[in-house]
Amino acid sequence: AQKVTQAQTEISVVEKEDVTLDCVYETRDTTYYLFWYKQPPSGELVFLIRRNSFDEQNEISGRYSWNFQKSTSSFNFTITASQVVDSAVYFCARASGNTGKLIFGQGTTLQVKP
Amino acid sequence: DGGITQSPKYLFRKEGQNVTLSCEQNLNHDAMYWYRQDPGQGLRLIYYSQIVNDFQKGDIAEGYSVSREKKESFPLTVTSAQKNPTAFYLCASSIASGTGTDTQYFGPGTRLTVL
């Protein structure tokens, strides 16, 4: 199976620290899409970003940034100056084929302490 | 407001009973999905539908059934054949361009507990 791996199960940081969440994926497709979602304690998954395999430019949105490296099949997510509200489970996912099915990683639980 | 609603938020079921989880969207999306989440794990696809009156099995469809009679609705039935149904169930929808590029948007989820 073409997996998505998030090796970090849990990360704990103190507020204002920077933190990077790792994501490594497997694929045989030449064109594919990658996603990050946030799941706060309420349970709903919140969409953060979508990136296609042709665009390797890093992206920044406020305190969030993403580093996509096709050569290492990685799509890492960095939160700068973390805040308590960033505490959540973060999922990386890859779209599979033309069906739109998402293959999710196991998730990384981020705890930001005051 | 546009969005995806799931009901109920919490559901308790006795062993041997079938239960139906509701998922409704008013985003005018063609595709809808059902995922299951177990503690400490990622989401796994149960069923998906890209168009009304058509649906396909996902990776863990055994013990579940769905229908797609209306574009905005995609109910999931957890049958008594599902051996371990206690989990958090999430519904999602997307535009379904057919290219596999669409972003899925999720509902708030239903937490099912078998007593």
Side-chain angles (χ1 to χ4, degrees):
Chain A
Q2 299 178 57
K3 299 186 301 182
V4 175
T5 302
Q6 295 179 255
Q8 304 149 308
T9 304
E10 293 184 20
I11 301 176
S12 182
V13 299
V14 176
E15 207 170 18
K16 297 184 184 178
E17 285 186 18
D18 298 347
V19 58
T20 295
L21 283 59
D22 298 332
C23 174
V24 175
Y25 60 91
E26 299 173 6
T27 184
R28 291 186 288 270
D29 300 327
T30 53
T31 304
Y32 50 91
Y33 283 74
L34 301 166
F35 301 81
W36 275 94
Y37 286 87
K38 174 182 179 179
Q39 186 177 41
S42 61
E44 181 173 350
L45 260 71
V46 177
F47 166 71
L48 296 177
I49 191 172
R50 181 185 76 173
R51 171 55 54 88
N52 75 60
S53 54
F54 290 113
D55 184 2
E56 290 195 65
Q57 276 193 324
N58 290 337
E59 181 152 346
I60 299 174
S61 176
R63 296 184 297 107
Y64 294 171
S65 63
W66 290 269
N67 181 273
F68 174 38
Q69 294 202 349
K70 209 168 178 178
S71 59
T72 56
S73 297
S74 66
F75 186 40
N76 297 337
F77 172 34
T78 297
I79 302 174
T80 303
S82 60
Q83 300 176 1
V84 172
V85 293
D86 295 327
S87 298
V89 182
Y90 290 86
F91 289 98
C92 179
R94 178 179 67 78
S96 173
N98 293 332
T99 63
K101 293 165 54 178
L102 290 178
I103 299 172
F104 284 86
Q106 300 288 79
T108 297
T109 300
L110 174 64
Q111 183 182 31
V112 181
K113 299 178 181 177
Chain B
D1 286 355
I4 302 172
T5 57
Q6 290 186 242
S7 61
K9 187 169 184 176
Y10 298 97
L11 186 57
F12 298 90
R13 186 193 98 173
K14 293 182 180 178
E15 284 194 30
Q17 284 182 336
N18 292 355
V19 290
T20 296
L21 283 58
S22 168
C23 177
E24 304 274 334
Q25 54 95 3
N26 61 4
L27 300 168
N28 201 33
H29 285 171
D30 286 310
M32 297 186 74
Y33 307 81
W34 274 106
Y35 293 89
R36 169 181 172 141
Q37 184 180 19
D38 293 287
Q41 297 189 32
L43 283 67
R44 293 181 291 168
L45 183 65
I46 304 172
Y47 268 98
Y48 65 102
S49 167
Q50 292 186 297
I51 196 169
V52 174
N53 292 322
D54 188 41
F55 49 82
Q56 282 76 41
K57 292 181 179 180
D59 300 318
I60 55 166
E62 185 174 351
Y64 300 97
S65 65
V66 293
S67 63
R68 187 84 188 278
E69 297 176 2
K70 298 186 295 182
K71 186 176 184 178
E72 58 271 22
S73 178
F74 191 41
L76 173 75
T77 296
V78 184
T79 74
S80 56
Q82 168 51 235
K83 299 304 179 191
N84 185 21
T86 295
F88 187 51
Y89 291 86
L90 286 155
C91 178
S93 71
S94 68
I95 295 174
S97 61
T99 60
T101 68
D102 308 311
T103 298
Q104 291 183 26
Y105 296 93
F106 286 79
T110 292
R111 195 167 298 279
L112 172 64
T113 303
V114 174
L115 303 172

